[in-house]
mmCIF file of all heavy atoms in Angstrom:
data_model
loop_
_atom_site.group_PDB
_atom_site.id
_atom_site.type_symbol
_atom_site.label_atom_id
_atom_site.label_comp_id
_atom_site.label_asym_id
_atom_site.label_seq_id
_atom_site.Cartn_x
_atom_site.Cartn_y
_atom_site.Cartn_z
ATOM 1 N N ILE Q 1 0.856 -1.138 -0.016
ATOM 2 C CA ILE Q 1 0.009 0.029 0.001
ATOM 3 C C ILE Q 1 0.863 1.198 0.015
ATOM 4 O O ILE Q 1 1.957 1.285 0.688
ATOM 5 C CB ILE Q 1 -0.914 0.035 1.231
ATOM 6 C CG1 ILE Q 1 -1.808 -1.259 1.238
ATOM 7 C CG2 ILE Q 1 -1.816 1.279 1.243
ATOM 8 C CD1 ILE Q 1 -2.704 -1.373 2.476
ATOM 9 N N ILE Q 2 0.472 2.234 -0.784
ATOM 10 C CA ILE Q 2 1.282 3.432 -0.878
ATOM 11 C C ILE Q 2 0.478 4.655 -0.363
ATOM 12 O O ILE Q 2 -0.692 4.847 -0.825
ATOM 13 C CB ILE Q 2 1.674 3.731 -2.372
ATOM 14 C CG1 ILE Q 2 2.551 2.634 -2.849
ATOM 15 C CG2 ILE Q 2 2.343 5.118 -2.492
ATOM 16 C CD1 ILE Q 2 2.636 2.501 -4.332
ATOM 17 N N CYS Q 3 1.023 5.373 0.578
ATOM 18 C CA CYS Q 3 0.304 6.563 1.125
ATOM 19 C C CYS Q 3 0.946 7.799 0.494
ATOM 20 O O CYS Q 3 2.140 8.034 0.655
ATOM 21 C CB CYS Q 3 0.477 6.654 2.606
ATOM 22 S SG CYS Q 3 -0.516 5.450 3.530
ATOM 23 N N GLU Q 4 0.176 8.584 -0.196
ATOM 24 C CA GLU Q 4 0.630 9.894 -0.777
ATOM 25 C C GLU Q 4 0.420 10.924 0.252
ATOM 26 O O GLU Q 4 -0.703 11.128 0.708
ATOM 27 C CB GLU Q 4 -0.143 10.149 -2.073
ATOM 28 C CG GLU Q 4 0.190 11.504 -2.718
ATOM 29 C CD GLU Q 4 -0.662 12.610 -2.102
ATOM 30 O OE1 GLU Q 4 -1.863 12.532 -2.055
ATOM 31 O OE2 GLU Q 4 0.023 13.638 -1.696
ATOM 32 N N ALA Q 5 1.444 11.613 0.700
ATOM 33 C CA ALA Q 5 1.390 12.619 1.716
ATOM 34 C C ALA Q 5 2.149 13.864 1.346
ATOM 35 O O ALA Q 5 2.839 14.480 2.164
ATOM 36 C CB ALA Q 5 1.902 12.025 3.000
ATOM 37 N N PHE Q 6 2.070 14.264 0.065
ATOM 38 C CA PHE Q 6 2.722 15.433 -0.397
ATOM 39 C C PHE Q 6 1.939 16.717 -0.154
ATOM 40 O O PHE Q 6 0.749 16.660 0.049
ATOM 41 C CB PHE Q 6 3.000 15.327 -1.907
ATOM 42 C CG PHE Q 6 3.983 14.258 -2.309
ATOM 43 C CD1 PHE Q 6 3.803 13.518 -3.483
ATOM 44 C CD2 PHE Q 6 5.029 13.928 -1.537
ATOM 45 C CE1 PHE Q 6 4.681 12.534 -3.819
ATOM 46 C CE2 PHE Q 6 5.963 12.955 -1.859
ATOM 47 C CZ PHE Q 6 5.743 12.257 -3.059
ATOM 48 N N ASP Q 7 2.623 17.853 -0.220
ATOM 49 C CA ASP Q 7 1.943 19.175 -0.145
ATOM 50 C C ASP Q 7 2.018 19.940 -1.478
ATOM 51 O O ASP Q 7 1.683 21.093 -1.517
ATOM 52 C CB ASP Q 7 2.442 20.000 1.035
ATOM 53 C CG ASP Q 7 4.032 20.236 0.925
ATOM 54 O OD1 ASP Q 7 4.578 19.907 -0.113
ATOM 55 O OD2 ASP Q 7 4.514 20.761 1.863
ATOM 56 N N ASN Q 8 2.469 19.245 -2.515
ATOM 57 C CA ASN Q 8 2.646 19.865 -3.815
ATOM 58 C C ASN Q 8 1.715 19.178 -4.792
ATOM 59 O O ASN Q 8 1.753 17.950 -4.954
ATOM 60 C CB ASN Q 8 4.108 19.717 -4.240
ATOM 61 C CG ASN Q 8 4.358 20.299 -5.642
ATOM 62 O OD1 ASN Q 8 4.129 19.590 -6.615
ATOM 63 N ND2 ASN Q 8 4.859 21.476 -5.709
ATOM 64 N N ALA Q 9 0.886 19.961 -5.471
ATOM 65 C CA ALA Q 9 -0.133 19.410 -6.417
ATOM 66 C C ALA Q 9 0.475 18.577 -7.557
ATOM 67 O O ALA Q 9 0.002 17.531 -7.876
ATOM 68 C CB ALA Q 9 -0.943 20.530 -6.974
ATOM 69 N N GLU Q 10 1.595 19.074 -8.117
ATOM 70 C CA GLU Q 10 2.209 18.375 -9.260
ATOM 71 C C GLU Q 10 2.794 17.038 -8.769
ATOM 72 O O GLU Q 10 2.662 16.006 -9.496
ATOM 73 C CB GLU Q 10 3.280 19.203 -9.869
ATOM 74 C CG GLU Q 10 2.736 20.294 -10.783
ATOM 75 C CD GLU Q 10 3.069 21.659 -10.267
ATOM 76 O OE1 GLU Q 10 3.959 21.794 -9.423
ATOM 77 O OE2 GLU Q 10 2.366 22.605 -10.733
ATOM 78 N N ALA Q 11 3.387 17.012 -7.576
ATOM 79 C CA ALA Q 11 3.970 15.788 -7.058
ATOM 80 C C ALA Q 11 2.884 14.765 -6.735
ATOM 81 O O ALA Q 11 3.008 13.574 -6.979
ATOM 82 C CB ALA Q 11 4.818 16.084 -5.827
ATOM 83 N N LYS Q 12 1.729 15.286 -6.191
ATOM 84 C CA LYS Q 12 0.596 14.434 -5.944
ATOM 85 C C LYS Q 12 0.116 13.706 -7.248
ATOM 86 O O LYS Q 12 -0.167 12.556 -7.266
ATOM 87 C CB LYS Q 12 -0.563 15.216 -5.350
ATOM 88 C CG LYS Q 12 -0.365 15.578 -3.892
ATOM 89 C CD LYS Q 12 -1.569 16.500 -3.457
ATOM 90 C CE LYS Q 12 -1.542 16.782 -1.956
ATOM 91 N NZ LYS Q 12 -1.961 15.634 -1.126
ATOM 92 N N ALA Q 13 -0.039 14.542 -8.277
ATOM 93 C CA ALA Q 13 -0.578 14.049 -9.538
ATOM 94 C C ALA Q 13 0.388 13.052 -10.180
ATOM 95 O O ALA Q 13 -0.008 12.039 -10.676
ATOM 96 C CB ALA Q 13 -0.818 15.211 -10.518
ATOM 97 N N MET Q 14 1.694 13.338 -10.112
ATOM 98 C CA MET Q 14 2.669 12.443 -10.686
ATOM 99 C C MET Q 14 2.690 11.119 -10.026
ATOM 100 O O MET Q 14 2.632 10.045 -10.663
ATOM 101 C CB MET Q 14 4.076 13.085 -10.566
ATOM 102 C CG MET Q 14 5.189 12.214 -11.167
ATOM 103 S SD MET Q 14 5.919 10.946 -10.118
ATOM 104 C CE MET Q 14 6.703 11.968 -8.847
ATOM 105 N N LEU Q 15 2.643 11.083 -8.679
ATOM 106 C CA LEU Q 15 2.627 9.818 -7.922
ATOM 107 C C LEU Q 15 1.326 9.044 -8.195
ATOM 108 O O LEU Q 15 1.368 7.825 -8.529
ATOM 109 C CB LEU Q 15 2.811 10.107 -6.461
ATOM 110 C CG LEU Q 15 2.971 8.825 -5.606
ATOM 111 C CD1 LEU Q 15 3.964 9.096 -4.484
ATOM 112 C CD2 LEU Q 15 1.676 8.360 -4.993
ATOM 113 N N ALA Q 16 0.228 9.753 -8.162
ATOM 114 C CA ALA Q 16 -1.062 9.061 -8.337
ATOM 115 C C ALA Q 16 -1.124 8.450 -9.753
ATOM 116 O O ALA Q 16 -1.566 7.300 -9.885
ATOM 117 C CB ALA Q 16 -2.189 10.022 -8.115
ATOM 118 N N ASN Q 17 -0.765 9.203 -10.722
ATOM 119 C CA ASN Q 17 -0.845 8.706 -12.121
ATOM 120 C C ASN Q 17 0.042 7.530 -12.319
ATOM 121 O O ASN Q 17 -0.327 6.546 -12.944
ATOM 122 C CB ASN Q 17 -0.472 9.796 -13.104
ATOM 123 C CG ASN Q 17 -1.504 10.917 -13.207
ATOM 124 O OD1 ASN Q 17 -2.664 10.685 -12.893
ATOM 125 N ND2 ASN Q 17 -1.129 12.071 -13.611
ATOM 126 N N PHE Q 18 1.264 7.553 -11.759
ATOM 127 C CA PHE Q 18 2.193 6.487 -11.924
ATOM 128 C C PHE Q 18 1.686 5.194 -11.248
ATOM 129 O O PHE Q 18 1.712 4.104 -11.803
ATOM 130 C CB PHE Q 18 3.584 6.815 -11.355
ATOM 131 C CG PHE Q 18 4.638 5.789 -11.715
ATOM 132 C CD1 PHE Q 18 5.418 5.927 -12.859
ATOM 133 C CD2 PHE Q 18 4.843 4.713 -10.881
ATOM 134 C CE1 PHE Q 18 6.382 4.998 -13.166
ATOM 135 C CE2 PHE Q 18 5.787 3.716 -11.187
ATOM 136 C CZ PHE Q 18 6.538 3.901 -12.352
ATOM 137 N N VAL Q 19 1.242 5.339 -9.953
ATOM 138 C CA VAL Q 19 0.762 4.194 -9.277
ATOM 139 C C VAL Q 19 -0.484 3.565 -9.951
ATOM 140 O O VAL Q 19 -0.550 2.324 -10.138
ATOM 141 C CB VAL Q 19 0.433 4.516 -7.811
ATOM 142 C CG1 VAL Q 19 -0.230 3.359 -7.075
ATOM 143 C CG2 VAL Q 19 1.701 4.939 -7.053
ATOM 144 N N LEU Q 20 -1.440 4.381 -10.321
ATOM 145 C CA LEU Q 20 -2.632 3.868 -10.940
ATOM 146 C C LEU Q 20 -2.391 3.293 -12.289
ATOM 147 O O LEU Q 20 -3.141 2.352 -12.708
ATOM 148 C CB LEU Q 20 -3.664 5.016 -11.000
ATOM 149 C CG LEU Q 20 -4.151 5.541 -9.634
ATOM 150 C CD1 LEU Q 20 -5.051 6.774 -9.804
ATOM 151 C CD2 LEU Q 20 -4.843 4.454 -8.827
ATOM 152 N N GLU Q 21 -1.386 3.787 -13.007
ATOM 153 C CA GLU Q 21 -1.151 3.284 -14.385
ATOM 154 C C GLU Q 21 -0.138 2.227 -14.457
ATOM 155 O O GLU Q 21 -0.240 1.261 -15.253
ATOM 156 C CB GLU Q 21 -0.732 4.431 -15.295
ATOM 157 C CG GLU Q 21 -1.824 5.502 -15.513
ATOM 158 C CD GLU Q 21 -1.337 6.688 -16.262
ATOM 159 O OE1 GLU Q 21 -0.162 6.657 -16.763
ATOM 160 O OE2 GLU Q 21 -2.104 7.677 -16.385
ATOM 161 N N LYS Q 22 0.932 2.303 -13.614
ATOM 162 C CA LYS Q 22 2.072 1.347 -13.705
ATOM 163 C C LYS Q 22 2.128 0.345 -12.555
ATOM 164 O O LYS Q 22 2.666 -0.754 -12.711
ATOM 165 C CB LYS Q 22 3.374 2.129 -13.765
ATOM 166 C CG LYS Q 22 3.413 3.137 -14.920
ATOM 167 C CD LYS Q 22 3.533 2.507 -16.259
ATOM 168 C CE LYS Q 22 3.539 3.523 -17.392
ATOM 169 N NZ LYS Q 22 4.696 4.360 -17.307
ATOM 170 N N LEU Q 23 1.623 0.764 -11.402
ATOM 171 C CA LEU Q 23 1.657 -0.152 -10.199
ATOM 172 C C LEU Q 23 0.270 -0.500 -9.803
ATOM 173 O O LEU Q 23 -0.139 -0.408 -8.677
ATOM 174 C CB LEU Q 23 2.424 0.544 -9.074
ATOM 175 C CG LEU Q 23 3.879 0.946 -9.290
ATOM 176 C CD1 LEU Q 23 4.440 1.745 -8.112
ATOM 177 C CD2 LEU Q 23 4.750 -0.303 -9.548
ATOM 178 N N TYR Q 24 -0.507 -0.930 -10.775
ATOM 179 C CA TYR Q 24 -1.989 -1.061 -10.626
ATOM 180 C C TYR Q 24 -2.337 -2.221 -9.645
ATOM 181 O O TYR Q 24 -3.476 -2.424 -9.279
ATOM 182 C CB TYR Q 24 -2.659 -1.289 -11.987
ATOM 183 C CG TYR Q 24 -1.909 -2.199 -12.921
ATOM 184 C CD1 TYR Q 24 -2.073 -3.610 -12.808
ATOM 185 C CD2 TYR Q 24 -1.103 -1.650 -13.944
ATOM 186 C CE1 TYR Q 24 -1.393 -4.460 -13.666
ATOM 187 C CE2 TYR Q 24 -0.420 -2.521 -14.747
ATOM 188 C CZ TYR Q 24 -0.532 -3.854 -14.639
ATOM 189 O OH TYR Q 24 0.139 -4.694 -15.449
ATOM 190 N N ASP Q 25 -1.326 -3.018 -9.274
ATOM 191 C CA ASP Q 25 -1.636 -4.132 -8.341
ATOM 192 C C ASP Q 25 -1.571 -3.599 -6.880
ATOM 193 O O ASP Q 25 -1.856 -4.381 -5.929
ATOM 194 C CB ASP Q 25 -0.602 -5.282 -8.500
ATOM 195 C CG ASP Q 25 0.860 -4.786 -8.293
ATOM 196 O OD1 ASP Q 25 1.180 -3.685 -8.718
ATOM 197 O OD2 ASP Q 25 1.668 -5.596 -7.723
ATOM 198 N N LYS Q 26 -1.157 -2.362 -6.696
ATOM 199 C CA LYS Q 26 -1.001 -1.814 -5.350
ATOM 200 C C LYS Q 26 -2.153 -0.824 -4.961
ATOM 201 O O LYS Q 26 -2.755 -0.276 -5.880
ATOM 202 C CB LYS Q 26 0.315 -1.086 -5.232
ATOM 203 C CG LYS Q 26 1.517 -1.973 -5.571
ATOM 204 C CD LYS Q 26 2.811 -1.276 -5.417
ATOM 205 C CE LYS Q 26 4.018 -2.144 -5.884
ATOM 206 N NZ LYS Q 26 4.052 -3.421 -5.235
ATOM 207 N N TYR Q 27 -2.404 -0.678 -3.696
ATOM 208 C CA TYR Q 27 -3.420 0.224 -3.236
ATOM 209 C C TYR Q 27 -2.749 1.622 -3.055
ATOM 210 O O TYR Q 27 -1.630 1.712 -2.564
ATOM 211 C CB TYR Q 27 -4.011 -0.225 -1.923
ATOM 212 C CG TYR Q 27 -4.954 -1.393 -2.075
ATOM 213 C CD1 TYR Q 27 -4.489 -2.705 -2.003
ATOM 214 C CD2 TYR Q 27 -6.313 -1.207 -2.317
ATOM 215 C CE1 TYR Q 27 -5.312 -3.794 -2.146
ATOM 216 C CE2 TYR Q 27 -7.145 -2.279 -2.438
ATOM 217 C CZ TYR Q 27 -6.699 -3.512 -2.359
ATOM 218 O OH TYR Q 27 -7.508 -4.649 -2.504
ATOM 219 N N LEU Q 28 -3.517 2.667 -3.392
ATOM 220 C CA LEU Q 28 -3.051 4.034 -3.152
ATOM 221 C C LEU Q 28 -4.073 4.769 -2.241
ATOM 222 O O LEU Q 28 -5.231 4.795 -2.433
ATOM 223 C CB LEU Q 28 -3.000 4.757 -4.511
ATOM 224 C CG LEU Q 28 -2.637 6.224 -4.412
ATOM 225 C CD1 LEU Q 28 -1.279 6.498 -3.897
ATOM 226 C CD2 LEU Q 28 -2.767 6.892 -5.798
#
């Protein structure tokens, strides 16, 4: 499981997009 805890919108979007598209077996 991956917890996103950033305070930067671009960093949030980058991490979310990568996990959902490339690490789709993991929970975000």
Side-chain angles (χ1 to χ4, degrees):
I1 302 177
I2 297 161
C3 288
E4 177 275 307
F6 293 145
D7 56 11
N8 177 278
E10 282 117 15
K12 284 177 174 286
M14 182 275 292
L15 187 143
N17 289 336
F18 189 93
V19 173
L20 295 174
E21 294 174 7
K22 304 289 180 63
L23 299 174
Y24 43 81
D25 60 322
K26 303 182 185 302
Y27 286 89
L28 174 64

